[in-house]
């Protein structure tokens, strides 16, 4: 009896947390942000590392996230997200395909094509439209995704770097870009990356 009560309390609590995250992002529909001028997909391709993010990832996959973008012949990006697992070292947690949208190449429609266990894939941001709000191609990128939920919307911010660390002036540029579109940089959390080079060579 007590066990059941406990479990029920836990699931209500989880639901409440989930609800809070959705409602927290904002009321009304997703805002629309200006497109990047002359976004160049080829220059955006290559290896990126996660610097900061606004969303929660489960412990199992939460550290040392890297993203490989490979341009294919159809002008899409093949996306390969890797993270460090506690148990098995490097782990590919998600594979997908990002297609530039017709109206705006800096807005990418992302589809997950992973054949990996759902259990792992679901911990990463899923399918949807990801907009590159700002990037200089060589050091940082600011990505944003938003989903409408009736009267509210939920969005996520993802900051990538070409290296595992962003220099102070690049970080200022990132925060300025967020500020320009009124996204709150306070929402960003620093992943606990620890020693990432231990897991895999940076040159691979
Ligand atoms: C995109 O960047 C690549 C590599 O720098 C360059 O060769 C290409 O001309 C650029 N494409 C456009 C449309 O500017
Ligand atoms: C990180 O790992 C590398 C390779 O194993 C090692 O040489 C380096 O000392 C480690 N750094 C820290 C801060 O633990």
């Amino acid at each position: 009896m007590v066990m059941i009560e406990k479990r029920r309390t836990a699931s209500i609590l989880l639901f409440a947390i989930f609800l809070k995250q959705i409602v927290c992002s904002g009321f009304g529909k997703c805002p629309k942000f200006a497109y990047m001028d002359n976004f160049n997909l080829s220059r955006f391709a290559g290896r990126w590392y996660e610097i900061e993010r606004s969303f929660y990832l489960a412990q199992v996959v939460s550290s040392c996230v890297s993203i490989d973008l490979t341009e294919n012949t159809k002008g899409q990006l093949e996306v390969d997200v890797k993270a460090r697992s506690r148990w098995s070292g490097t782990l590919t947690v998600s594979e997908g395909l990002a297609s530039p949208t017709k109206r705006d190449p800096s807005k990418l429609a992302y589809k997950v094509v992973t054949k990996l266990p759902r259990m792992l894939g679901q911990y990463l941001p899923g399918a949807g439209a990801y907009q590159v709000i700002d990037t200089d191609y060589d050091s940082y990128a600011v990505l944003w995704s938003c989903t409408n939920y009736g009267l509210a919307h939920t969005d996520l911010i993802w900051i990538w770097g070409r290296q595992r660390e962003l220099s102070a002036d690049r970080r200022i540029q990132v925060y300025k870009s967020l500020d320009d579109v009124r996204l709150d940089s306070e929402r960003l959390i620093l992943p606990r990356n620890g020693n990432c080079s231990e897991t895999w060579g940076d040159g691979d």
Side-chain angles (χ1 to χ4, degrees):
M1 215 32 211
V2 174
M3 276 304 284
I4 292 169
E5 273 309 309
K6 257 193 193 153
R7 204 176 295 168
R8 186 175 297 159
T9 311
S11 61
I12 289 171
L13 195 68
L14 268 180
F15 182 70
I17 291 168
F18 178 68
L19 203 68
K20 187 159 168 275
Q21 282 190 340
I22 287 181
V23 175
C24 257
S25 281
F27 291 104
K29 282 197 178 329
C30 291
K32 287 210 162 35
F33 298 145
Y35 302 152
M36 265 191 75
D37 288 333
N38 308 317
F39 180 74
N40 188 321
L41 200 72
S42 315
R43 291 186 67 195
F44 192 63
R47 162 74 59 98
W48 290 96
Y49 299 100
E50 174 185 75
I51 303 290
E52 289 185 33
R53 65 172 112 90
S54 68
F55 49 93
Y56 173 79
L57 280 183
Q59 277 291 323
V60 267
V61 296
S62 66
S63 60
C64 303
V65 176
S66 71
I67 303 101
D68 283 302
L69 307 174
T70 315
E71 196 177 7
N72 68 16
T73 51
K74 290 181 193 152
Q76 300 162 314
L77 292 175
E78 280 161 19
V79 183
D80 200 343
V81 184
K82 291 197 192 75
R84 184 160 69 183
S85 140
R86 282 191 170 177
W87 309 304
S88 59
T90 308
L91 187 73
T92 299
V93 283
S94 181
E95 286 169 4
L97 198 63
S99 316
T101 50
K102 279 216 180 73
R103 278 187 60 201
D104 169 28
S106 67
K107 196 166 186 175
L108 303 162
Y110 182 64
K111 252 184 1 195
V112 180
V113 295
T114 187
K115 290 174 212 76
L116 299 155
R118 261 183 67 86
M119 189 218 124
L120 290 171
Q122 74 188 9
Y123 290 130
L124 279 168
Y130 289 76
Q131 186 174 347
V132 182
I133 288 181
D134 189 19
T135 184
D136 65 353
Y137 304 100
D138 302 321
S139 56
Y140 72 93
V142 180
L143 280 87
W144 177 75
S145 180
C146 189
T147 312
N148 287 311
Y149 279 98
L151 291 175
H153 66 266
T154 176
D155 67 347
L156 61 86
I157 309 167
W158 212 358
I159 312 296
W160 295 354
R162 287 294 190 188
Q163 275 157 8
R164 291 194 191 280
E165 307 278 338
L166 267 192
S167 64
D169 57 331
R170 291 292 171 255
R171 196 172 282 273
I172 289 166
Q173 177 57 45
V174 164
Y175 291 162
K176 188 186 166 300
S177 300
L178 290 173
D179 204 44
D180 285 348
V181 292
R182 301 216 162 78
L183 286 173
D184 187 1
S185 56
E186 300 273 313
R187 289 168 55 197
L188 294 172
I189 48 173
L190 214 58
R192 273 174 301 164
N193 282 340
N195 192 351
C196 288
S197 55
E198 208 175 306
T199 320
W200 58 77
D202 278 350
D204 64 13

